[in-house]
């Protein structure tokens, strides 16, 4: 029922307007509240990252999650070459700290063992460094190239091997030679009469004259290699891809004065600009190695011939230098080191592979060639996974307790060859050679080596073991012949892999 206008106005006239009640908060109370908020925020901001603090909202102590840390050692003020290293570590949850602080990982672009000797000789069990003391025995270009290894082009150290070089040149009138510095700069084919035979820290190397070409371009191949242990040796290569770099000028007609036709420079021709490789790399999304392999098959050749040689050369090169490196390592308390290198190869027209050099701290910057970013980051991810820098277990490396470590690798994962151990009573006596791999007879350091080896096997990502050598056919594998010429510790680790392989073929390779 509606109320008439007159009645409505009458009712409204007699309504009592409500009183508006207001209250005023004292200004000093507002000031105290704001000051408390600001001070609390300031204190929290200034607290050390691992400090416990009180959360007033929940009335409980908060324990901020610890994060693993890394520091960088390098002489260059420009850190563009570390861009992908920093990106990958950030994605893995690492925080960068100053070099003088405590860190879990030291990433050194330059060799750190001269300037940081004392600190690196006193590493904790949880710290790890990306170089191995003594690795220069492999990466020094003069030392490497003048070794008597069949896959190295003949080379002579100057000036000490001057006479040997002149005699060799006289007996090889058709040979060409390049003079190289240890820094690998200013390479040029020179007549023997123009070579400075008195120059120190240089060497003369025979030039491989008939290289395998792709669309007329000479190239080199960069294979990424990682050493995780010395004596016994643990050696891996990255198999996700390799770095192909093509000369910017075609090889023929050959002109020794045109170095761009036979020396790979900074402005090299990348895979995606080589005409015959575009269909594989761009159109079918193959990687550099797969694209090259497809081209080789197009030439009615078998690319596996190349890669078997590459693995063998890497293995033989590192083994040749292992004992020299082991001698340097004896003065270090903890052997928490790994070495990521790039081995550079060339191939002749008969698919014979030659090692040209091994690079310490290889280029991992995509500043010049952006598409290489994926390659570098995948290499780093696999390397960090292999050595335990990357882990699904939360917290810093030092906070991974015994129980956490046992969860990943325990004695039961390391034990092998149980029948032989039982047969020879190795649970009671260790005086038989058959007991060398039986758990009760392992020394503390041997047990730690096997635990690390087991963890590497679990977390190797795209890394392939090169030494101990993969076992392709365990039924026909002669373990005694394999270890015959090895050092005692390398033979010991090779046997361990062999016995693991017999019971689980995932350990064969």
């Amino acid at each position: 029922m509606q109320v008439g206008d007159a009645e409505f106005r009458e009712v409204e006239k007699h309504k009592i307007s409500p009183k508006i009640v207001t209250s005023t908060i004292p200004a000093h109370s507002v000031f105290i509240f704001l000051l408390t908020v600001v001070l609390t925020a300031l204190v929290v901001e200034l607290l050390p990252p691992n400090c416990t603090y009180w959360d007033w909202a929940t009335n409980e102590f908060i324990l901020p999650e610890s994060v693993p840390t890394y520091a960088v050692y390098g002489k260059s003020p420009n850190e563009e070459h570390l861009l992908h290293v920093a990106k990958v570590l950030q994605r893995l949850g690492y925080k960068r700290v100053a070099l003088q602080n405590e860190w879990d990982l030291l990433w050194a672009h330059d060799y750190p063992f001269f300037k940081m000797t004392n600190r690196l000789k006193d590493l904790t069990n949880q710290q790890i460094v990306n170089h191995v003391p003594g690795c220069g025995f492999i990466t020094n270009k003069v030392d490497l190239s003048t070794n008597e290894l069949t896959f190295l082009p003949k080379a002579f150290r100057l000036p000490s091997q001057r006479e040997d070089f002149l005699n060799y040149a006289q007996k090889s009138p058709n040979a060409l030679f390049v003079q190289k510095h240890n820094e690998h700069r200013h390479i040029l084919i020179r007549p023997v009469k123009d070579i400075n035979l008195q120059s120190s820290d240089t060497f003369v190397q025979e030039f491989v004259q008939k290289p395998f070409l792709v669309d007329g371009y000479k190239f080199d191949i960069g294979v990424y290699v990682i050493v995780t242990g010395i004596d016994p040796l643990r050696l891996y290569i990255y198999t996700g891809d390799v770095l192909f770099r093509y000369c910017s000028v075609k090889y023929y007609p050959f002109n020794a004065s045109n170095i761009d036709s036979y020396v790979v420079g900074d402005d090299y021709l990348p895979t995606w600009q080589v005409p015959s490789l575009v269909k594989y790399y761009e159109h079918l999304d193959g990687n550099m190695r797969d694209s090259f392999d497809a081209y080789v098959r197009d030439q009615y050749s078998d690319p596996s011939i190349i890669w078997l040689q590459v693995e063998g050369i890497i293995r033989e090169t590192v083994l040749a230098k292992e004992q020299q490196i082991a001698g340097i390592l004896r003065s270090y308390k903890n052997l928490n080191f790994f070495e990521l290198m790039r081995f550079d190869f060339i191939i002749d027209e008969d698919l014979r592979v030659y090692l040209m050099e091994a690079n310490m701290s290889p280029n991992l910057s995509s500043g010049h060639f952006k598409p290489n970013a994926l390659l570098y980051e995948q290499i780093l991810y696999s390397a960090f996974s292999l050595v335990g820098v990357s882990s699904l277990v939360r917290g810093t490396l030092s906070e991974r307790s015994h129980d956490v470590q046992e969860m990943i690798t325990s004695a039961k994962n390391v034990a092998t060859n149980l029948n032989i151990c039982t047969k020879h009573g190795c649970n009671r006596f260790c005086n038989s050679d058959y007991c060398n791999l039986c758990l009760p007879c392992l020394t503390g350091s041997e047990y730690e080596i096997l635990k690390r080896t087991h963890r590497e096997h679990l977390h190797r990502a795209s890394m392939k073991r090169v030494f101990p050598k993969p076992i392709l056919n365990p039924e026909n594998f002669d373990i005694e012949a394999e270890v015959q010429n090895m050092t005692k510790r390398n033979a010991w680790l090779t046997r361990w892999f062999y016995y693991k392989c017999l019971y689980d073929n995932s350990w064969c390779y």
Side-chain angles (χ1 to χ4, degrees), residues 188-189 249-262:
L188 181 67
I189 294 175
V249 175
K250 290 190 176 184
Y251 188 75
Y252 293 115
F254 183 73
N255 181 355
S257 63
N258 189 352
I259 63 171
D260 290 334
S261 68
Y262 61 89

Side-chain angles (χ1 to χ4, degrees), residues 1-20:
M1 177 178 175
Q2 291 185 339
V3 181
D5 290 343
E7 292 175 293
F8 178 79
R9 286 193 294 271
E10 187 67 22
V11 170
E12 288 295 308
K13 185 171 66 175
H14 291 88
K15 274 187 177 179
I16 299 175
S17 299
K19 291 183 179 180
I20 299 175

Side-chain angles (χ1 to χ4, degrees), residues 163-223:
E163 294 303 322
D164 292 337
F165 164 63
L166 292 174
N167 290 334
Y168 182 84
Q170 187 176 14
K171 294 176 183 178
S172 309
N174 295 323
L176 299 177
F177 299 94
V178 292
Q179 185 169 16
K180 298 181 180 180
H181 190 271
N182 197 32
E183 299 300 324
H184 203 178
R185 294 290 182 267
H186 312 300
I187 298 172
L188 181 67
I189 294 175
R190 302 177 189 274
V192 174
K193 63 182 179 63
D194 292 341
I195 293 176
N196 182 358
L197 300 177
Q198 302 303 321
S199 177
S200 60
D201 208 25
T202 67
F203 61 101
V204 178
Q205 189 170 49
E206 186 171 1
F207 179 73
V208 178
Q209 297 189 49
K210 296 181 179 180
F212 185 89
L213 305 176
V214 177
D215 289 346
Y217 297 102
K218 184 185 174 182
F219 59 91
D220 67 8
I221 303 172
V223 178

Side-chain angles (χ1 to χ4, degrees), residues 71-214:
V72 171
Y73 173 82
K75 301 173 184 176
S76 173
N78 186 339
E79 294 192 351
E80 289 182 8
H81 57 287
L82 297 175
L83 173 65
H84 296 299
V85 175
K87 276 188 175 182
V88 174
L89 287 172
Q90 183 182 32
R91 292 167 187 163
L92 296 175
Y94 276 72
K95 177 183 177 181
R96 182 171 176 177
V97 296
L99 187 62
Q100 63 269 24
N101 291 358
E102 291 299 317
W103 37 259
D104 295 301
L105 165 69
L106 175 65
W107 184 270
H109 185 73
D110 299 295
Y111 191 74
F113 299 102
F114 297 134
K115 295 290 183 69
M116 298 181 64
T117 305
N118 293 335
R119 191 170 180 186
L120 297 182
K121 283 188 174 182
D122 197 32
L123 292 178
T124 68
N125 290 331
Q126 290 75 32
Q127 290 180 303
I128 190 167
V129 180
N130 75 315
H131 284 297
V132 175
C135 64
F137 286 116
I138 298 173
T139 58
N140 181 282
K141 293 173 177 56
V142 177
D143 287 343
L144 176 62
S145 297
T146 53
N147 271 274
E148 294 294 329
L149 298 172
T150 58
F151 45 79
L152 291 167
K154 189 68 175 177
F156 302 88
R157 184 191 297 265
L158 295 179
S160 60
Q161 294 180 316
R162 172 180 176 274
E163 294 303 322
D164 292 337
F165 164 63
L166 292 174
N167 290 334
Y168 182 84
Q170 187 176 14
K171 294 176 183 178
S172 309
N174 295 323
L176 299 177
F177 299 94
V178 292
Q179 185 169 16
K180 298 181 180 180
H181 190 271
N182 197 32
E183 299 300 324
H184 203 178
R185 294 290 182 267
H186 312 300
I187 298 172
L188 181 67
I189 294 175
R190 302 177 189 274
V192 174
K193 63 182 179 63
D194 292 341
I195 293 176
N196 182 358
L197 300 177
Q198 302 303 321
S199 177
S200 60
D201 208 25
T202 67
F203 61 101
V204 178
Q205 189 170 49
E206 186 171 1
F207 179 73
V208 178
Q209 297 189 49
K210 296 181 179 180
F212 185 89
L213 305 176
V214 177

Side-chain angles (χ1 to χ4, degrees), residues 68 72 90 109 112 144 163 169 194-195 227 234 251 315-316 318 327-328 357 386 415 469 472 488:
V72 171
Q90 183 182 32
H109 185 73
L144 176 62
E163 294 303 322
D194 292 341
I195 293 176
V227 175
R234 303 193 305 280
Y251 188 75
R315 183 165 46 244
E316 188 174 343
V318 179
I328 301 295
E357 62 183 8
L386 178 72
K469 189 177 179 180
L472 302 180
K488 183 177 180 180

Side-chain angles (χ1 to χ4, degrees), residues 31 68 75 109-110 116 133 184 188 222 230 257-258 273 276 292 324 338 439 455 463 488:
F31 175 76
K75 301 173 184 176
H109 185 73
D110 299 295
M116 298 181 64
H184 203 178
L188 181 67
I230 292 289
S257 63
N258 189 352
Q273 292 180 7
S276 290
F292 171 79
Q324 291 172 287
F338 68 96
L439 209 61
R455 289 195 294 267
M463 293 292 178
K488 183 177 180 180

Side-chain angles (χ1 to χ4, degrees), residues 228-422:
T228 60
I230 292 289
D231 194 31
L233 176 64
R234 303 193 305 280
L235 178 65
Y236 301 83
I237 61 171
Y238 177 72
T239 59
D241 202 357
V242 296
L243 180 66
F244 277 83
R245 305 181 302 175
Y246 296 83
C247 290
S248 57
V249 175
K250 290 190 176 184
Y251 188 75
Y252 293 115
F254 183 73
N255 181 355
S257 63
N258 189 352
I259 63 171
D260 290 334
S261 68
Y262 61 89
V263 176
V264 174
D266 292 337
D267 294 317
Y268 63 84
L269 191 70
T271 291
W272 52 90
Q273 292 180 7
V274 179
S276 290
L277 303 182
V278 170
K279 59 187 175 185
Y280 303 118
Y281 188 86
E282 294 286 354
H283 302 162
L284 298 175
D285 217 18
N287 61 29
M288 284 184 269
R289 172 175 168 170
D290 290 343
S291 300
F292 171 79
D293 285 357
Y295 176 85
V296 173
R297 293 188 196 98
D298 284 345
Q299 313 309 307
Y300 305 102
S301 295
D302 181 6
S304 67
I305 296 171
I306 297 169
W307 304 115
L308 286 173
Q309 291 179 76
V310 165
E311 289 186 21
I313 289 171
I314 292 170
R315 183 165 46 244
E316 188 174 343
T317 300
V318 179
L319 281 169
K321 300 292 186 178
E322 183 193 15
Q323 290 309 305
Q324 291 172 287
I325 300 172
I328 301 295
L329 278 170
R330 290 190 186 101
S331 62
Y332 288 79
K333 182 179 74 173
N334 287 317
L335 304 183
N336 298 346
F337 307 107
F338 68 96
E339 188 73 40
L340 177 63
M341 300 173 282
R342 192 188 72 221
F343 278 53
D344 290 344
F345 302 90
I346 62 169
I347 306 169
D348 71 13
E349 61 184 12
D350 297 319
L351 300 188
R352 181 180 176 183
V353 179
Y354 296 87
L355 174 63
M356 303 310 295
E357 62 183 8
N359 297 279
M360 181 195 300
S361 297
N363 176 37
L364 294 170
S365 170
S366 62
H368 209 54
F369 295 101
K370 298 298 182 186
N372 285 344
L374 178 63
L375 168 66
Y376 298 145
E377 291 183 5
Q378 288 185 334
I379 289 168
L380 287 165
Y381 172 76
S382 287
F384 289 148
S385 179
L386 178 72
V387 301
V389 168
S390 168
S391 175
L392 296 177
V393 179
R394 298 164 71 177
T396 66
L397 300 183
S398 61
E399 291 174 340
R400 295 176 191 172
S401 65
H402 173 75
D403 289 343
V404 171
Q405 298 290 0
E406 289 286 295
M407 176 183 71
I408 300 171
T409 296
S410 72
K412 295 186 181 299
N413 301 116
V414 169
T416 189
N417 211 18
L418 303 184
N419 296 100
I420 290 180
C421 293
T422 302

